[in-house]
Amino acid sequence: MEVLLYWPNIVGYIRVSLVFAAWAAYETPAVFVPLYTASVVLDGVDGWLARTLGQTSRFGAWLDVVVDNLGRGMLWSQLFKWGWLVSALEWCVFVCNHSSRGDQWKSSFTSCPSFIQAIMAYGFRTPLGMWVVSGLHCLPVWMYACQWGLLSHWLGLPLGIQTLGTLLLAAGRLLALSAEVWCIWTHIRYLCSEESEEKKN
């Protein structure tokens, strides 16, 4: 059980606390933004710590995605009445990937369509992959900033830039949706084929 006290996982617990604190301060942007931003920044720190300290673990990989989903789910459900659907989809994909692919899910897409492979290549470290990840992670934050007028009042961005940013991030999120749908469908096929094999035996 010492894996629970690995430094990267401790960072994960801190991120969970920050997400819940941000949720409580949702209607106070001056508090929400620093809290949520800190959680996002620490998302990079935990991975770096895991590699640097040799403390990578299946639990850590699982925890990292759980915290990501908690943060985005909290945002989507607050932004729109239908936001819970986006969150539900992301949790469904999480279950599909981690139940059949485990902590190596990022590198297990060798037999998928070339378009999905292009998105997943090198752990999303390609222009297309980064666009998709930006849509996945940044769109809800961007929408929050739009909703509360932060892009105008804090950053002074003209409406045209705000609209362009929204369109680019939304397109990235739609690309992510295509990969998510493929993951879910693949998992359904996996479950059905596994059941067929069990009946044969």
Side-chain angles (χ1 to χ4, degrees), residues 44-89:
V45 173
D46 60 5
W48 175 81
L49 276 176
R51 292 185 295 272
T52 302
L53 301 176
Q55 293 185 342
T56 57
S57 64
R58 284 177 290 182
F59 172 74
W62 173 86
L63 178 64
D64 185 56
V65 181
V66 165
V67 181
D68 288 345
N69 279 12
L70 280 174
R72 290 196 306 270
M74 175 270 295
L75 260 178
W76 280 116
S77 62
Q78 294 274 24
L79 284 168
F80 306 105
K81 288 183 178 179
W82 48 264
W84 65 271
L85 286 170
V86 181
S87 178
L89 173 69

Side-chain angles (χ1 to χ4, degrees), residues 28-49:
T28 310
V31 178
F32 174 88
V33 171
L35 289 172
Y36 194 84
T37 301
S39 175
V40 171
V41 170
L42 288 176
D43 186 23
V45 173
D46 60 5
W48 175 81
L49 276 176

Side-chain angles (χ1 to χ4, degrees), residues 113-133:
S114 57
F115 176 66
I116 304 298
Q117 287 186 39
I119 291 175
M120 303 296 299
Y122 305 105
F124 301 106
R125 293 183 183 90
T126 64
L128 179 61
M130 287 188 286
W131 184 16
V132 169
V133 169

Side-chain angles (χ1 to χ4, degrees), residues 188-201:
I188 291 171
R189 290 173 55 194
Y190 163 76
L191 293 175
C192 292
S193 63
E194 190 177 58
E195 191 169 322
S196 297
E197 288 297 321
E198 288 177 357
K199 287 182 178 178
K200 287 180 183 178
N201 296 330

Side-chain angles (χ1 to χ4, degrees), residues 3-200:
V3 68
L4 297 177
L5 297 178
Y6 280 1
W7 282 108
N9 298 335
I10 291 173
V11 171
Y13 309 145
I14 294 171
R15 288 185 63 213
V16 171
S17 302
L18 288 168
V19 166
F20 281 111
W23 176 58
Y26 181 84
E27 296 188 0
T28 310
V31 178
F32 174 88
V33 171
L35 289 172
Y36 194 84
T37 301
S39 175
V40 171
V41 170
L42 288 176
D43 186 23
V45 173
D46 60 5
W48 175 81
L49 276 176
R51 292 185 295 272
T52 302
L53 301 176
Q55 293 185 342
T56 57
S57 64
R58 284 177 290 182
F59 172 74
W62 173 86
L63 178 64
D64 185 56
V65 181
V66 165
V67 181
D68 288 345
N69 279 12
L70 280 174
R72 290 196 306 270
M74 175 270 295
L75 260 178
W76 280 116
S77 62
Q78 294 274 24
L79 284 168
F80 306 105
K81 288 183 178 179
W82 48 264
W84 65 271
L85 286 170
V86 181
S87 178
L89 173 69
E90 293 183 359
W91 281 109
C92 185
V93 172
F94 169 75
V95 170
C96 292
N97 282 340
H98 282 260
S99 61
S100 60
R101 297 184 174 94
D103 62 322
Q104 301 299 317
W105 67 273
K106 285 185 182 179
S107 58
S108 63
F109 290 82
T110 53
S111 60
C112 63
S114 57
F115 176 66
I116 304 298
Q117 287 186 39
I119 291 175
M120 303 296 299
Y122 305 105
F124 301 106
R125 293 183 183 90
T126 64
L128 179 61
M130 287 188 286
W131 184 16
V132 169
V133 169
S134 295
L136 185 68
H137 289 281
C138 299
L139 180 60
V141 179
W142 185 268
M143 297 302 293
Y144 175 86
C146 287
Q147 187 180 77
W148 290 90
L150 306 183
L151 298 177
S152 301
H153 301 310
W154 286 12
L155 301 179
L157 293 180
L159 183 59
I161 298 296
Q162 294 182 40
T163 303
L164 179 61
T166 301
L167 291 174
L168 286 173
L169 290 172
R173 186 62 189 83
L174 287 173
L175 290 172
L177 175 63
S178 67
E180 289 168 331
V181 170
W182 185 86
C183 288
I184 293 171
W185 174 241
T186 300
H187 190 65
I188 291 171
R189 290 173 55 194
Y190 163 76
L191 293 175
C192 292
S193 63
E194 190 177 58
E195 191 169 322
S196 297
E197 288 297 321
E198 288 177 357
K199 287 182 178 178
K200 287 180 183 178

